[in-house]
Amino acid sequence: MAQNQHVDGGEKPIVIISEPKVRERRKKRLRRQRLTSNGTVAAAVMVFAALVAVVVANTPAYEAVHHFLMEPLTLGVGPLVGTLSVEVFVNDFLMAVFFLLVGIELKYEMTVGELKNPRQAALPMLAAVGGVVVPALIYVAFNVGGPGIGGWAIPMATDIAFALGVMSLLGDRVAPATKVFFSTLAIADDILAIVVIALFYGHAPSIPWIAASLACVLVLALLNYARVYTARSYVVVGLALWFCMFNSGIHATLAGVVLALFLPCTSDIRLTALRPWLESKSRELDNAYDGDLDVLGQHGFTRIASGVERVMHRVTPPLQRMEHAITVPVNFVILPIFAFVNAQVRLIGVDPMAIVSDPVTLGSFFGALVGKPVGIILVTWVLVKVGFARLPRGVDWHQVTGVGIMGGLGFTMSILISGLAFTEPAEVLAAKCAILSCSVVAAVVGCIYMMATGRKGRASSEG
């Protein structure tokens, strides 16, 4: 690790890590961090896990995997003890951690991001409404009066991580403003999906457990009001909230979103005073340093350094600390596990034509593939034509069309909703087949369209 110091008009690196092997390990860690922060890599890992699940589901190993997923797990903290299967643990507990990350992203956008300026965010957010309503209507049109009507929300969700990962493959063919537009749209899409899950896909409500959940929310609010900046306190209450919501009839994954909304997004360190304070500590370190002593004997020096370390740790708000802690596990552990568990599409002994012609398949597939772009483009066009909003600088109608097509990538949330909507294996199978095939088609068609129109579209918009 080094920093630059100006010497005779040039810059000389100051090496502060003495051990060459430690420096080399640090370089490797930084390379891993760059790899794990790449959305394309994360999306590829999730897709690979889904492909492995499809292959395993159609081999003799399926029975063993299915048996393992049905194995009971007992979880508990003190008097709070519950039993659930491995599959439910993945879909209800691990996905609550994923929803925590979604909630952190939502709070970030509402605090300093695109959602902070309602006027600027209005166009993609309203376009998201169109991208939710039209797919649901198309699904209903295929399933009205049938047993699959409960899956109307399946085609309305967009997998932002998956879609942005695919978009990143297109490089400069996608304008930066288009990525911002799509990110805002997908965040609004997530909000709508969360609301739909909370309102329509819970179980019969339990008043005592709902009251206990509200009590946990009140404790989170009090922690925030009392300016508690220790993330650990919020996590403990968040675990209790998850347990209460799991038993309340409200889908337990929403506990992650609630927890995120109460995590402090400010620091208890006064940033305007930080630099003078660090300068004073730097002088104290200079005075305390004794070059004749080993580091174990530098008691004053290490005491001052530890104090600086504690303060610098607190500069980062708990919201960001939590995000840094869970992003890699969510992207490279939780989502791949979720994909493997839920993409168990077993086609052995199944009539392919029965799946293709199933109204659930047709509604899910065409709802996402056709309804998403139609809803997004139509609402955007109307709002621009009536003068309510203008397309962001650098975004043209080719880019909006590409965004609409990419909106059909509804992997994670759509699979989650399909598991909540149906109890019959045939309906779940039909929904999953539609979701997987539609995500592949939307990704391929979206890439081809934006590769063909990206440069020309951006040139015309900038001109």
Side-chain angles (χ1 to χ4, degrees):
M1 181 177 179
Q3 66 184 49
N4 292 329
Q5 180 181 23
H6 290 279
V7 179
D8 297 329
E11 290 186 349
K12 181 180 178 181
I14 300 175
V15 178
I16 64 173
I17 296 179
S18 59
E19 290 291 339
K21 291 183 178 180
V22 175
R23 291 202 299 271
E24 185 60 31
R25 287 199 298 270
R26 179 176 173 79
K27 290 179 182 178
K28 291 180 180 178
R29 186 164 64 248
L30 291 174
R31 286 195 291 268
R32 287 196 300 270
Q33 288 174 351
R34 285 194 292 269
L35 182 67
T36 55
S37 63
N38 189 311
T40 304
V41 175
V45 172
M46 184 171 63
V47 171
F48 177 75
L51 291 175
V52 171
V54 173
V55 172
V56 169
N58 292 278
T59 66
Y62 171 75
E63 293 298 334
V65 171
H66 180 72
H67 178 74
F68 171 75
L69 295 179
M70 294 300 108
E71 281 291 306
L73 289 176
T74 300
L75 301 177
V77 178
L80 302 177
V81 179
T83 301
L84 62 164
S85 68
V86 173
E87 183 178 27
V88 173
F89 172 76
V90 171
N91 291 340
D92 284 56
F93 183 78
L94 293 186
M95 287 304 286
V97 183
F98 165 71
F99 270 68
L100 172 59
L101 184 60
V102 171
I104 289 173
E105 293 171 353
L106 292 177
K107 187 165 184 176
Y108 178 87
E109 293 296 330
M110 290 187 293
T111 306
V112 295
E114 293 298 315
L115 301 184
K116 183 181 180 181
N117 185 340
R119 180 73 178 178
Q120 184 178 356
L123 181 62
M125 290 183 73
L126 292 174
V129 175
V132 165
V133 173
V134 176
L137 292 176
I138 291 177
Y139 182 95
V140 170
F142 278 102
N143 288 273
V144 63
I149 191 65
W152 58 270
I154 291 172
M156 60 180 275
T158 297
D159 192 313
I160 182 172
F162 192 3
L164 287 176
V166 173
M167 267 192 182
S168 67
L169 297 174
L170 299 170
D172 61 358
R173 288 183 174 85
V174 180
T178 301
K179 293 180 181 178
V180 173
F181 180 90
F182 181 74
S183 296
T184 307
L185 183 149
I187 288 168
D189 192 289
D190 281 343
I191 295 173
L192 293 170
I194 290 168
V195 171
V196 166
I197 290 173
L199 294 179
F200 299 101
Y201 290 103
H203 302 290
S206 169
I207 301 302
W209 283 110
I210 289 177
S213 301
L214 292 175
C216 292
V217 173
L218 178 61
V219 173
L220 289 172
L222 290 174
L223 288 173
N224 187 279
Y225 179 78
R227 298 293 187 266
V228 175
Y229 288 90
T230 306
R232 189 181 303 111
S233 303
Y234 293 88
V235 171
V236 171
V237 181
L239 288 171
L241 174 62
W242 178 87
F243 187 86
C244 295
M245 293 184 73
F246 180 77
N247 291 280
S248 70
I250 303 171
H251 200 263
T253 53
L254 301 180
V257 179
V258 175
L259 173 59
L261 295 179
F262 285 103
L263 283 171
C265 57
T266 57
S267 171
D268 60 337
I269 302 299
R270 194 153 54 94
L271 299 185
T272 55
L274 183 61
R275 181 172 179 176
W277 184 83
L278 287 173
E279 289 174 348
S280 69
K281 291 299 176 182
S282 177
R283 290 190 293 271
E284 291 182 26
L285 287 169
D286 286 340
N287 294 332
Y289 179 72
D290 187 343
D292 295 329
L293 294 177
D294 187 84
V295 65
L296 291 177
Q298 303 273 359
H299 301 300
F301 187 92
T302 54
R303 176 180 54 80
I304 298 168
S306 296
V308 172
E309 182 182 11
R310 286 193 298 270
V311 169
M312 295 308 294
H313 173 75
R314 287 161 53 192
V315 168
T316 305
L319 187 80
Q320 279 187 301
R321 295 204 297 268
M322 183 65 69
E323 180 185 23
H324 295 160
I326 69 173
T327 295
V328 172
V330 165
N331 288 338
F332 290 90
V333 180
I334 291 177
L335 287 181
I337 289 175
F338 173 82
F340 179 81
V341 169
N342 289 277
Q344 298 284 326
V345 178
R346 186 168 177 82
L347 300 176
I348 295 177
V350 176
D351 182 4
M353 291 308 299
I355 295 178
V356 171
S357 60
D358 192 308
V360 171
T361 305
L362 297 173
S364 301
F365 183 86
F366 289 107
L369 188 65
V370 178
K372 272 291 182 181
V374 168
I376 291 170
I377 297 167
L378 181 61
V379 171
T380 304
W381 183 83
V382 170
L383 294 176
V384 170
K385 289 303 178 182
V386 300
F388 176 82
R390 292 185 300 176
L391 290 180
R393 184 181 298 273
V395 178
D396 70 350
W397 290 107
H398 286 302
Q399 300 271 298
V400 173
T401 302
V403 164
I405 297 171
M406 291 290 189
L409 281 76
F411 187 80
T412 308
M413 204 75 80
S414 293
I415 286 182
L416 179 63
I417 293 174
S418 69
L420 300 174
F422 301 128
T423 56
E424 290 296 326
E427 293 174 336
V428 175
L429 176 64
K432 288 182 178 180
C433 287
I435 293 165
L436 294 174
S437 58
C438 179
S439 294
V440 172
V441 173
V444 172
V445 173
C447 282
I448 293 174
Y449 181 86
M450 297 194 86
M451 287 178 66
T453 63
R455 293 183 181 278
K456 180 179 178 181
R458 188 171 64 257
S460 62
S461 66
E462 292 172 352

